[in-house]
């Protein structure tokens, strides 16, 4: 097969989303962030919202998404992305407004902003990357760290009597009156990636149609923080995280 035949539309299997810049990604090999970036770029492009999308990224690994997706971005202080997103959406109701946050940012310092933005029913979407650890700052225990799971600040594993229990933010969000769509997905396989993309698309459409707030959690790996190879990290996630953070829609109003 010639090069010309390979690039014909009917033979095209994969192409980089046009909204993704050529900037080399800094993420560790096996990190889930790059996959989710691609899905967000594809959904925005397919919705025709390239010129009307505003993303908010706070502190942590998630902050660098503005280097990779060619849309308007606003950086927020640690944990404050939902509050900023709510303000932007109220000022520009015709914009597609979403946040992109890790579990330390969303479920720890940003707990109040997250809960109140979702409870108000602000027409925004929160993309929540849950890898159960603080990835950027050294692998410390996060609010989502599983019981028995080691980290740099609980090297012998999380203990409920000392550290409390893991926080299920998505289950909390599903109980709030203002939320329209709450789901938990993953991106460790092709079928999972397809489901995650569909969930992101639904959340974005809900926010544009004025149905209320939306939360899309992506259960992810941090093989560097977990001290595992990418393959082992995916297997560990399936065996340990999925039972505690089960995948699927929790609310679809």
């Amino acid at each position: 097969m010639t090069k010309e035949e390979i690039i014909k539309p009917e033979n095209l299997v994969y192409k980089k989303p046009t909204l993704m810049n050529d900037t080399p990604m800094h993420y560790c090999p096996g990190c889930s962030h790059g996959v989710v970036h691609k899905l967000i770029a594809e959904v925005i492009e397919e919705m025709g919202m390239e010129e009307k999308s505003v993303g908010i990224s706070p502190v942590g690994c998630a902050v660098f998404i503005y280097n990779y997706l060619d849309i308007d971005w606003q950086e927020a202080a640690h944990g404050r992305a939902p509050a900023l997103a709510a303000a932007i959406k109220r000022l520009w109701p015709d914009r597609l407004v979403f946040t992109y946050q890790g579990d330390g940012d969303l479920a720890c310092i940003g707990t109040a902003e997250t809960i109140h933005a979702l409870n108000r029913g602000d027409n925004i979407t929160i993309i929540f990357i849950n890898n159960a650890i603080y990835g950027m700052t050294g692998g410390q225990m996060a609010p989502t760290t599983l019981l028995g799971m080691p980290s740099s600040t609980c090297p012998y594993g999380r203990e409920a009597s000392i550290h409390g229990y893991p926080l299920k933010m998505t289950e909390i969000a599903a109980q709030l009156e203002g939320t329209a769509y709450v789901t938990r997905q993953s991106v460790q396989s092709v079928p999972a990636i397809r489901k995650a993309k569909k969930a992101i698309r639904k959340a974005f459409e809900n926010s544009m149609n004025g149905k209320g707030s939306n939360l899309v959690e992506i259960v992810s790996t941090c093989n560097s923080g977990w001290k595992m190879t990418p393959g082992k990290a995916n297997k560990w996630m399936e065996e340990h995280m999925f039972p505690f953070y089960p995948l699927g829609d929790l609310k679809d109003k």
Side-chain angles (χ1 to χ4, degrees):
M1 185 178 288
T2 66
K3 180 179 179 182
E4 289 73 21
E5 290 173 325
I6 292 173
I7 62 176
K8 284 182 178 180
E10 60 268 25
N11 296 324
L12 185 64
V13 176
Y14 171 82
K15 68 175 182 178
K16 187 180 77 172
T18 57
L19 287 181
M20 294 200 75
N21 297 321
D22 292 328
T23 306
M25 285 195 170
H26 76 287
Y27 298 118
C28 303
C31 179
S32 304
H33 278 297
V35 179
V36 184
H37 287 11
K38 171 181 172 288
L39 298 183
I40 293 172
E42 288 179 347
V43 169
I44 291 174
E45 183 179 353
E46 291 169 7
M47 291 178 66
M49 296 297 293
E50 299 94 324
E51 302 299 323
K52 287 193 172 184
S53 294
V54 181
I56 297 91
S57 59
V59 178
C61 294
V63 70
F64 294 111
I65 190 172
Y66 57 69
N67 284 329
Y68 309 125
L69 268 63
D70 189 17
I71 61 172
D72 288 330
W73 287 97
Q74 176 68 55
E75 186 175 351
H78 203 171
R80 314 308 180 211
L84 183 55
I88 292 172
K89 184 65 176 180
R90 292 184 182 206
L91 288 169
W92 285 330
D94 65 328
R95 298 299 201 269
L96 171 61
V97 183
F98 66 96
T99 72
Y100 187 88
Q101 301 174 258
D103 49 309
D105 175 83
L106 179 145
C108 187
I109 194 170
T111 311
E113 282 77 6
T114 300
I115 290 176
H116 287 293
L118 293 172
N119 194 51
R120 286 194 303 267
D122 288 310
N123 294 306
I124 62 173
T125 292
I126 294 175
I127 308 293
F128 169 31
I129 308 299
N130 177 11
N131 54 26
I133 207 167
Y134 279 86
M136 172 180 276
T137 55
Q140 297 91 342
M141 182 182 66
T144 51
T145 301
L146 300 178
L147 291 177
M149 182 178 179
S151 74
S152 62
T153 50
C154 57
Y156 300 105
R158 180 173 191 158
E159 295 184 38
S161 61
I162 301 173
H163 311 109
Y165 293 90
L167 191 59
K168 291 186 173 183
M169 287 296 294
T170 303
E171 276 78 358
I172 294 173
Q175 305 305 313
L176 303 176
E177 294 292 337
T179 51
Y181 181 53
V182 179
T183 187
R184 181 183 285 124
Q185 303 293 331
S186 63
V187 292
Q188 86 285 2
S189 66
V190 173
I193 290 170
R194 289 174 176 164
K195 290 180 181 179
K197 181 178 177 179
K198 185 178 179 180
I200 292 171
R201 175 71 182 256
K202 184 168 191 172
F204 282 179
E205 289 178 343
N206 279 351
S207 65
M208 292 306 299
N209 292 329
K211 291 187 176 181
S213 55
N214 307 271
L215 177 66
V216 179
E217 176 183 348
I218 307 291
V219 181
S220 307
T221 62
C222 179
N223 47 285
S224 294
W226 295 0
K227 311 302 181 187
M228 300 179 187
T229 64
K232 287 184 178 179
N234 276 337
K235 185 177 181 181
W236 193 93
M237 175 180 66
E238 292 173 348
E239 292 177 351
H240 296 88
M241 290 191 69
F242 288 176
F244 189 79
Y245 297 114
L247 306 183
D249 293 347
L250 283 76
K251 183 178 184 179
D252 186 1
K253 186 167 66 174

